Amino acid sequence: MTSTNLKITINPAAGSAAPYEQLRAQIADGARSGRLPAGLKLPTVRGLAEELGLAANTVAKAYRALEADGVIETRGRNGTFIAAAEGESREAAAAAQAFADRAHRLGLTEADALSAAAEALRARYAAD
């Protein structure tokens, strides 16, 4: 299942990541690499679902995750677009602030919070 416009391929084989995760990852990677430039209008949920042979709910789930991550933005009736790159930095800063607030509420020292964050980052990036 391939989208000709976005050059997205969904692998339905057993053992592959869930289709929504494959879609989310490919759009995020395309936005990060510049292959999907900021301001690019994405297909509607139904349109992309039909093109890829997926359920509309699967595409909607991927779009929701991408919007939560700041990769895409919905502009009402105008559609869904790849967000500006600075959105990623803005989202990362917001996530870091939320972590700092939570670590403080939990009573962690700054050193313990930094250690926990560093370990989580090492584990996440080692998995790639």
Side-chain angles (χ1 to χ4, degrees):
M1 298 176 277
T2 302
S3 166
T4 54
N5 296 341
L6 298 178
K7 297 185 174 130
I8 291 174
T9 302
I10 303 298
N11 182 355
S16 297
Y20 92 88
E21 178 55 27
Q22 291 179 53
L23 178 59
R24 187 211 57 77
Q26 289 180 57
I27 291 175
D29 290 344
R32 232 183 336 272
S33 72
R35 184 177 56 77
L36 300 176
L40 175 73
K41 186 173 183 175
L42 296 174
T44 64
V45 167
R46 284 190 178 139
L48 188 56
E50 287 176 15
E51 195 173 341
L52 293 172
L54 297 173
N57 285 342
T58 299
V59 175
K61 184 176 182 180
Y63 274 22
R64 282 191 304 273
L66 288 162
E67 190 163 22
D69 291 344
V71 175
I72 65 173
E73 59 188 4
T74 301
R75 300 180 191 162
R77 293 179 183 247
N78 292 325
T80 303
F81 299 82
I82 298 294
E86 55 269 4
E88 294 172 358
S89 296
R90 191 172 49 244
E91 288 291 321
Q97 185 62 54
F99 170 78
D101 291 344
R102 180 69 186 256
H104 187 264
R105 280 193 309 274
L106 291 171
L108 296 178
T109 65
E110 183 178 347
D112 288 343
L114 285 170
S115 177
E119 185 58 39
L121 287 167
R122 272 193 295 277
R124 175 63 188 110
Y125 285 93
D128 289 342

